[in-house]
Amino acid sequence: MKKKILGISGSMKRQNSSSEYLLSVALEAVRQQDPKIETEQVRLNDYNIIPCEGCGNCMNSTACHLLDHPEDQLEDLYWKLVDADGFIFSSPVYALSLPAQWKTWIDRCEPCSPKDLDYPYYNYDRVVNVKGKALRGKVAGMICVAAGPGHEWALASLLPPFTAVKLSMIASAGISLIEFDGQPGIQKRPWSQSVKDAEFAKLMAQGVGMRVASAIGYSTFDAVPMKKRQTDQTDILSMPVFDVDDQRFLVKDIATKKSVNSASGDSENGKNIFIIGNQMARETCREIYKQLETDLAGKCNCYVIAVIGTTPEFITRTFIKEKLQQVMGDANILFDWDDNVNDITGKKVDKPMVLICSSSGEQLKMLNTIDVNDVPEIAQFITG
Ligand SMILES: Cc1cc2nc3c(=O)[nH]c(=O)nc-3n(C[C@H](O)[C@H](O)[C@H](O)COP(=O)(O)O)c2cc1C
């Protein structure tokens, strides 16, 4: 599969940026070293990232409200990070550190996908696995360009958060360009030259590019394969399931399917559909519920069976229930089915399952389970 290195430059300048130029030199070196590696160069400052407001919702399994802000573009950048296997960051030095834009971005590195909100509590693991999900296990290089001093501090400034989320910084270049960059606002010095003539700087940038290119896939941390962004939303109603006779049908046809409970031979009008999951599966359960409620309204009764999975000692079950209730909105929720569900299925329910039974009050019969994470392929058939 093709590898990709994303270059992000961080100058506030709209043109004649030395750090942006040196990033292009680094990416050119990547392509020369390995033509199979795809590169893309973006400007951090082209993304309007609204500063974090400190509400703490992202630590409480709730989506950041700023993601809904029409002008916020954090998510656009996030999906580029997800698709990349390595990064080269390049920035000017401002006041012995990096321009504020970098910190604004890092402070907002939060769950950008509803799936990433599926965690029961917040701790260091969550920071690594959720906040740093697009960076974890990947490699990066950094170029910092100063007029004189400060590149060393700037290089170090983002190292702690990058390291915390297990991004391997494997190459860096701190460059002083005093003779070359022709700072705007500073009287032109007689010896000022174009950055394009700074051979030493270009060599350093090339070194970073080549090192990152050869290090892709060799993170000093454990690499975690991350699924690429799904371009099409999963259509749960069009997912195939199989009945007791091994006949394939679609979820949306459940309501009209006659032979679901073949033992009685009865027609199955007025079915109950239960979506089962624990707190790890709640977002997906909600999506399934919403879809079934909308598309099968009047044909089926939809319920969610919320199973409370393992929780750390300091989190109460009541708290988890409250959170589930919040996520599920006005869904019909049945709590405390833990034992029943486990007895019937013998399965973990950290991925949603769908259970169908007649509404005549008979014993529940597990007819289909759907692991929506493995769509669109087969749902496993279990008899109750
Ligand atoms: C607000 C501001 C602060 C700066 N602070 C420093 C500094 O602390 N040390 C330094 O050597 N250069 C400093 N510079 C100079 C830039 O780092 C230098 O000109 C750099 O090459 C600009 O890169 P760019 O063209 O990609 O924007 C500063 C420039 C600006 C605009």
Side-chain angles (χ1 to χ4, degrees), residues 65-337:
H65 65 281
L66 297 176
L67 294 173
D68 294 329
H69 196 294
E71 284 170 15
D72 187 56
Q73 294 176 323
L74 177 75
E75 223 180 314
D76 299 341
L77 180 59
Y78 173 79
W79 291 114
K80 286 195 180 294
L81 300 171
V82 168
D83 280 343
D85 304 282
F87 309 98
I88 300 178
F89 307 115
S90 183
S91 180
V93 171
Y94 281 10
L96 307 180
S97 186
L98 294 176
Q101 195 70 358
W102 289 96
K103 192 65 167 61
T104 303
W105 166 54
I106 286 290
D107 289 353
R108 287 280 316 279
C109 274
E110 57 183 86
C112 284
S113 154
K115 277 187 173 178
D116 293 345
L117 292 167
D118 264 354
Y119 52 87
Y121 53 92
Y122 190 79
N123 63 6
Y124 179 72
D125 279 351
R126 293 300 114 196
V127 175
V128 178
N129 293 322
V130 178
K131 291 204 165 211
K133 196 172 172 187
L135 303 174
R136 179 179 173 182
K138 298 180 182 177
V139 293
M142 177 114 201
I143 301 168
C144 282
V145 187
H151 48 78
E152 64 283 15
W153 303 109
L155 281 171
S157 61
L158 285 185
L159 206 52
F162 283 151
T163 308
V165 298
K166 301 193 172 183
L167 174 67
S168 294
M169 296 297 293
I170 47 92
S172 56
I175 300 172
S176 290
L177 275 186
I178 187 94
E179 309 99 297
F180 292 92
D181 69 345
Q183 259 282 26
I186 293 185
Q187 205 168 25
K188 199 157 173 70
R189 305 144 179 134
W191 33 262
S192 187
Q193 301 169 56
S194 160
V195 62
K196 296 185 178 168
D197 296 332
E199 294 303 328
F200 77 98
K202 287 195 279 184
L203 277 175
M204 290 169 83
Q206 283 164 356
V208 171
M210 287 157 69
R211 181 75 186 99
V212 176
S214 59
I216 282 188
Y218 294 96
S219 161
T220 50
F221 300 108
D222 48 327
V224 176
M226 189 176 165
K227 278 189 185 161
K228 298 273 180 186
R229 179 184 197 181
Q230 285 182 335
T231 39
D232 298 325
Q233 278 282 7
T234 303
D235 177 6
I236 293 153
L237 292 172
S238 298
M239 279 165 41
V241 288
F242 291 77
D243 70 6
V244 285
D245 303 322
D246 240 7
Q247 282 177 352
R248 183 183 162 110
F249 64 102
L250 303 181
V251 170
K252 65 178 165 218
D253 296 328
I254 285 172
T256 51
K257 179 134 184 69
K258 289 216 158 49
S259 63
V260 172
N261 191 344
S262 60
S264 67
D266 290 345
S267 114
E268 285 290 314
N269 289 329
K271 289 185 193 67
N272 292 324
I273 296 188
F274 298 89
I275 300 117
I276 310 168
N278 66 15
Q279 65 265 33
M280 303 302 285
R282 62 181 174 236
E283 285 290 335
T284 328
C285 283
R286 182 180 61 177
E287 290 309 305
I288 298 175
Y289 182 86
K290 276 198 311 206
Q291 221 172 348
L292 292 181
E293 270 274 284
T294 313
D295 292 28
L296 302 180
K299 299 176 190 158
C300 292
N301 307 311
C302 293
Y303 300 91
V304 174
I305 299 181
V307 178
I308 314 291
T310 318
T311 59
E313 276 172 26
F314 53 90
I315 301 275
T316 64
R317 293 169 68 83
T318 312
F319 175 82
I320 299 280
K321 283 184 189 178
E322 279 171 14
K323 292 288 143 196
L324 285 172
Q325 194 89 56
Q326 277 172 14
V327 170
M328 298 305 302
D330 53 6
N332 298 314
I333 306 186
L334 308 175
F335 281 112
D336 286 333
W337 276 62

Side-chain angles (χ1 to χ4, degrees), residues 11 13 16-20 92-96 145-149 181 183:
S11 179
K13 279 184 198 161
N16 300 327
S17 156
S18 350
S19 53
E20 195 175 330
V93 171
Y94 281 10
L96 307 180
V145 187
D181 69 345
Q183 259 282 26

